[in-house]
Amino acid sequence: LWHSHLGEGLGQLERVLAHTADPSHERIEALLGAAALSVRWRFRESERHVDRALADARGLGADGAVSRALLLSTGRPWCRGEITTATGYMADAREIARAAGHIGTEVAAILMLATAATARQDRDDARDLLAEADALVPRVPDDDPALCLYTLGAWMPTPRRGALRLMWNETWVVFED
């Protein structure tokens, strides 16, 4: 899946989803995975997967999945120029993740909020958010699924503290230009 076989991985997830209609934690994870993969070339399918994952996660009270689905939901309003709506999803994801103890998702949401601050040309807010995310990185568990969330225009590297640290510290360059 991670070696340029995104279409194959998406196909496998969609085949599994075609045979599982009842909400479950496993189905939510498959929907979130399908959404993350399909956003690259099938945006409407990605939206459909995110909407289903969000509804199922809310129905099961799976706050970690709710916050991750909210992060994936930001693409639709962001691409339409509805920055306030997208930022609202990011802020909601951050608060839900924080309350649920999902530090990786919280960090991903904070980084996305830093991107939104940059879009608003609010460099001080962006720097503050990046510093907040950087301070949380040491607390992110190595097996946290949120480490694969799309943030600041790049896929997060594998969950190795050094690689994560390097990735986040390099994002400061964006705000120094």
Side-chain angles (χ1 to χ4, degrees), residues 17-76:
L17 289 168
H19 297 302
T20 57
D22 295 331
S24 69
H25 294 283
E26 293 79 11
R27 178 175 168 74
I28 293 167
E29 291 302 319
L31 286 164
L32 290 172
L37 293 177
S38 61
V39 74
R40 277 120 189 80
W41 69 94
R42 298 181 197 164
F43 197 70
R44 293 208 192 287
E45 282 183 39
S46 178
E47 290 177 340
R48 185 173 39 92
H49 292 312
V50 169
D51 290 345
R52 286 185 194 158
L54 189 55
D56 287 356
R58 283 182 170 147
L60 292 177
D63 289 339
V66 168
S67 59
R68 289 173 38 225
L70 284 169
L71 289 183
L72 288 168
S73 295
T74 61
R76 182 180 352 187

Side-chain angles (χ1 to χ4, degrees), residues 94-173:
R94 175 189 187 183
E95 294 310 313
I96 292 167
R98 179 179 291 152
H102 294 274
I103 300 169
T105 304
E106 181 182 355
V107 169
I110 292 168
L111 290 171
M112 291 176 82
L113 286 164
T115 301
T118 302
R120 294 190 315 271
Q121 298 183 353
D122 187 342
R123 294 167 62 132
D124 291 335
D125 190 30
R127 281 193 179 101
D128 291 346
L129 288 161
L130 286 170
E132 182 182 349
D134 196 45
L136 287 173
V137 168
R139 295 180 36 213
V140 177
D142 286 340
D143 62 349
D144 192 311
L147 296 178
C148 292
L149 282 176
Y150 191 72
T151 340
L152 291 179
W155 281 98
M156 296 310 214
T158 56
R160 287 175 278 142
R161 294 268 185 245
L164 289 170
R165 192 61 115 154
L166 177 63
M167 177 66 164
W168 276 313
N169 285 343
E170 286 177 356
T171 61
W172 283 92
V173 174

